[in-house]
Amino acid sequence: MKEFALIFRLKDVSDFKPSPEQIQERLNWLGSIAAQNKLVDKGNTLLPSLGAAKTVRTNHIVTDGPYTEIKEFISGYIIVRAESIEQAVEMAKGNPIFKIGGNIEVREVLKVNN
């Protein structure tokens, strides 16, 4: 089996504060993946607030977050186990983030042996 990162993106910072119902929907979705033994890493939430992110560019130029260059922001991620990217996409489709206009990027993880 391969591993895939599901990267959650939102368009509006106000969507970052989910209702109790939305939290429960997300937990149910995550629980369904865990119940199939396909959850590798439950991931983390990435804070969208000012001062919570910096971007280091060429010549060590540092700017606040990615906020000025993009119209959406990464709100978090998880790592899942799947036979193919298509199977990982099917898992992603069940996430309630789409109800609030968010999206999920699915990327295969390249595991490097240390």
Side-chain angles (χ1 to χ4, degrees):
M1 284 228 189
K2 299 176 182 179
E3 292 183 4
F4 297 88
L6 276 58
I7 303 164
F8 306 106
R9 296 179 187 271
L10 293 171
K11 291 184 180 185
D12 191 336
V13 173
S14 65
D15 293 331
F16 186 75
K17 298 177 183 175
S19 69
E21 294 81 17
Q22 289 170 322
I23 291 171
Q24 190 58 53
E25 277 187 286
R26 291 177 190 175
L27 290 174
N28 291 345
W29 174 77
L30 198 60
S32 70
I33 294 171
Q36 298 172 55
N37 197 29
K38 292 186 177 180
L39 184 63
V40 175
D41 184 334
K42 67 178 180 65
N44 288 291
T45 298
L46 304 173
L47 296 174
S49 55
L50 289 176
K54 300 281 185 187
T55 299
V56 181
R57 301 184 186 285
T58 305
N59 297 324
H60 301 149
I61 296 170
V62 179
T63 59
D64 285 335
Y67 312 118
T68 58
E69 292 86 23
I70 62 172
K71 294 180 181 177
E72 59 186 14
F73 66 94
I74 297 172
S75 62
Y77 67 93
I78 68 169
I79 308 292
V80 298
R81 186 178 299 113
E83 293 290 337
S84 65
I85 194 166
E86 290 80 15
Q87 189 181 60
V89 166
E90 286 305 312
M91 282 186 240
K93 287 180 179 178
N95 189 290
I97 196 170
F98 304 109
K99 294 179 182 178
I100 58 172
N103 64 70
I104 300 174
E105 178 180 345
V106 180
R107 302 277 301 267
E108 186 172 349
V109 175
L110 174 63
K111 297 188 88 173
V112 180
N113 295 332
N114 293 339

